[in-house]
């Protein structure tokens, strides 16, 4: 149990009880009396029961991590979360929020929030009228948003994207993977000029991949900071266009889609690439040393289950040292680099 003696530490600003097994006990109500707390970390502390509304008294709190616990009731989220007006970091990963239809409004009331993680929370995908979201007086500070694996079912016109469009100019990391996003990418994504990591894998995105690239590049073609583009396990079709405008790209994950056509030699000029995943697509044509001419940082290469033909001489001096390579079903030979 958490000792009530903690109340005597009225000047306490930093409290980390992570990785301590509290065996399903409830967070005590007296936590709300530690009014000077700035940092509260209860990651994998195995608390249970309900989250006490008294947490809302911690108005100086900047960091709150309640992830990987066993709370039976988080339905009172809107009764305490909006009071934490100084909060910049919130992690509720692996807590069941299926009975919290107003989670989006609660989060939207945190004016200084920069980091939000609600992955594996069984979030309900209730549609919210856009005027509700835009009329709440909140800042546009969100930079890191993780909503992975919630089975959220929505399309490009849903309230999730309307909500995120408020923050797109400042978003650096966005993870919507392992949900049920249907259709194409909304035009609002064209404002993601500062985006460094975009994870949309394992959804049901459809349409031409080139159109998605055009949206991402349309607002800021010369200053794109994207480092990770993860679109694996979707239904994207068409060919792979010239991606050299993604001048900072380190990881390109397009495997398990419906892409076709050839791979342009221009990919060999993307010198920052460290990982390329193109397997399980209907790609064809010849891949030669020109496709890898400047990829000195490449560590992972996946082109398995495609119809690509590999044409290399046995004495080719490749510019990289691979740690992972997957070429199953490619047409290899008669030569292969030593």
């Amino acid at each position: 149990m958490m000792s009530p003696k903690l109340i005597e530490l009225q000047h306490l600003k930093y409290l980390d009880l992570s990785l301590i097994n509290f065996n399903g006990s409830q967070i005590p109500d007296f936590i709300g009396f530690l009014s000077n707390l700035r940092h509260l970390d209860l990651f994998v502390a195995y608390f249970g029961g309900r989250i006490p509304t008294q947490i809302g008294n911690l108005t100086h709190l900047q960091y709150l991590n309640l992830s990987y616990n066993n709370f039976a009731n988080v339905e009172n989220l809107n009764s305490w979360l909006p009071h934490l007006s100084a909060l910049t970091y919130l992690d509720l990963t692996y807590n069941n929020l299926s009975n919290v239809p107003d989670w989006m409004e609660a989060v939207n009331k945190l004016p200084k929030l920069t980091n939000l993680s609600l992955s594996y929370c069984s979030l309900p995908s209730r549609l919210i009228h856009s005027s509700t979201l835009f009329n709440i007086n909140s800042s546009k500070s969100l930079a890191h948003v993780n909503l992975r694996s919630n089975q959220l079912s929505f399309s490009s016109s849903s309230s999730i994207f309307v909500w995120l469009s408020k923050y797109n100019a400042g978003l650096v990391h966005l993870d919507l993977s392992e949900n049920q996003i249907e259709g194409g990418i909304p035009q609002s994504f064209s404002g993601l000029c500062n985006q460094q990591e975009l994870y949309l894998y394992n959804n049901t995105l459809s349409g031409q991949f080139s159109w998605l690239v055009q949206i991402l590049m349309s607002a800021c073609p010369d200053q794109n900071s994207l480092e990770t583009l993860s679109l694996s396990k979707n239904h994207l079709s068409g060919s792979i266009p010239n991606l050299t405008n993604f001048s900072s790209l380190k990881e390109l994950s397009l495997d398990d889609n419906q892409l076709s056509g050839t791979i342009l030699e221009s990919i060999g000029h993307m010198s920052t690439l460290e990982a390329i995943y193109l397997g399980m697509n209907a790609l064809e044509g010849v891949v030669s040393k020109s496709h890898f001419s400047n990829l000195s940082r490449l560590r992972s290469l996946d082109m398995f289950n495609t119809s690509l033909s590999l044409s290399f001489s046995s004495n080719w001096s490749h510019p990289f040292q691979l740690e992972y390579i997957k070429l199953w079903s490619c047409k290899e030979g008669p030569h292969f680099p030593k």
Side-chain angles (χ1 to χ4, degrees):
M1 61 174 289
M2 189 186 297
S3 172
K5 290 279 189 180
L6 282 172
I7 300 178
E8 299 174 10
L9 304 177
Q10 283 300 303
H11 298 289
L12 193 66
K13 294 183 178 180
Y14 188 104
L15 179 60
D16 186 346
L17 300 175
S18 60
L19 300 172
I20 297 175
N21 189 350
F22 286 92
N23 200 28
S25 63
Q26 185 171 299
I27 299 175
D29 294 350
F30 67 72
I31 195 79
F33 292 103
L34 298 173
S35 57
N36 279 305
L37 273 183
R38 266 67 169 174
H39 182 111
L40 179 59
D41 193 344
L42 303 180
F43 165 71
V44 197
Y46 296 101
F47 280 107
R50 64 177 180 83
I51 298 177
T53 57
Q54 286 81 0
I55 283 186
N57 296 332
L58 306 178
T59 54
H60 297 295
L61 202 62
Q62 298 170 6
Y63 179 103
L64 178 60
N65 190 342
L66 299 177
S67 61
Y68 294 88
N69 281 282
N70 299 311
F71 299 116
N73 186 356
V74 195
E75 294 181 20
N76 63 345
L77 187 72
N78 224 325
S79 66
W80 57 267
L81 184 59
H83 298 292
L84 305 181
S85 57
L87 208 61
T88 62
Y89 183 102
L90 175 64
D91 192 343
L92 292 173
T93 297
Y94 266 115
N95 285 294
N96 189 347
L97 301 183
S98 60
N99 292 320
V100 188
D102 53 357
W103 64 270
M104 204 182 299
E105 291 100 316
V107 168
N108 215 49
K109 295 173 184 176
L110 302 173
K112 297 182 180 180
L113 194 67
T114 60
N115 290 58
L116 172 68
S117 183
L118 298 177
S119 56
Y120 302 94
C121 285
S122 301
L123 294 174
S125 52
R126 180 177 68 88
L127 292 179
I128 302 169
H129 195 276
S130 59
S131 62
T132 303
L133 295 171
F134 282 95
N135 288 334
I136 296 175
N137 183 23
S138 64
S139 76
K140 298 180 180 179
S141 58
L142 270 179
H144 298 259
V145 176
N146 187 348
L147 302 178
R148 174 187 297 191
S149 196
N150 280 289
Q151 299 305 306
L152 290 169
S153 179
F154 53 93
S155 66
S156 60
S157 60
S158 76
S159 56
I160 295 279
F161 285 127
V162 173
W163 174 59
L164 289 173
S165 68
K166 297 178 56 180
Y167 306 100
N168 61 8
L171 278 176
V172 174
H173 172 106
L174 177 59
D175 191 341
L176 294 172
S177 53
E178 297 178 342
N179 282 289
Q180 296 175 11
I181 307 174
E182 300 175 344
I185 293 293
Q187 189 66 42
S188 60
F189 268 47
S190 63
L192 296 173
C193 289
N194 296 308
Q195 188 83 15
Q196 294 178 11
E197 297 174 307
L198 179 58
Y199 295 92
L200 291 165
Y201 69 83
N202 202 1
N203 280 285
T204 52
L205 290 172
S206 58
Q208 297 284 311
F209 174 55
S210 57
W211 170 241
L212 186 151
V213 171
Q214 184 177 338
I215 290 176
L216 292 177
M217 292 300 302
S218 60
C220 38
D222 300 321
Q223 52 183 355
N224 198 289
S225 58
L226 197 64
E227 296 181 1
T228 300
L229 180 59
S230 180
L231 298 167
S232 305
K233 295 187 177 181
N234 278 286
H235 300 238
L236 297 171
S237 58
S239 60
I240 301 175
N242 188 324
L243 300 173
T244 51
N245 279 338
F246 292 108
S247 56
S248 303
L249 199 64
K250 294 181 180 179
E251 178 182 330
L252 176 63
S253 297
L254 300 174
D255 51 299
D256 202 355
N257 274 282
Q258 298 167 9
L259 299 173
S260 58
T262 61
I263 300 176
L264 300 178
E265 290 185 359
S266 59
I267 198 171
H269 300 296
M270 301 176 66
S271 58
T272 57
L273 274 177
E274 299 175 1
I276 301 174
Y277 302 101
L278 301 177
M280 296 186 70
N281 283 291
L283 298 170
E284 56 187 3
V286 177
V287 175
S288 67
K289 65 180 183 180
S290 299
H291 291 85
F292 302 98
S293 54
N294 293 310
L295 304 187
S296 59
R297 302 182 186 181
L298 195 65
R299 295 294 178 266
S300 297
L301 176 63
D302 178 351
M303 298 191 298
F304 91 105
N305 203 10
T306 65
S307 297
L308 292 167
S309 298
L310 309 183
S311 177
F312 303 103
S313 64
S314 58
N315 60 356
W316 175 46
S317 180
H318 43 83
F320 48 76
Q321 289 293 330
L322 292 178
E323 299 171 357
Y324 172 93
I325 185 169
K326 196 170 184 180
L327 302 175
W328 166 48
S329 87
C330 288
K331 300 171 185 175
E332 304 167 27
H335 304 291
F336 197 80
K338 293 179 181 178

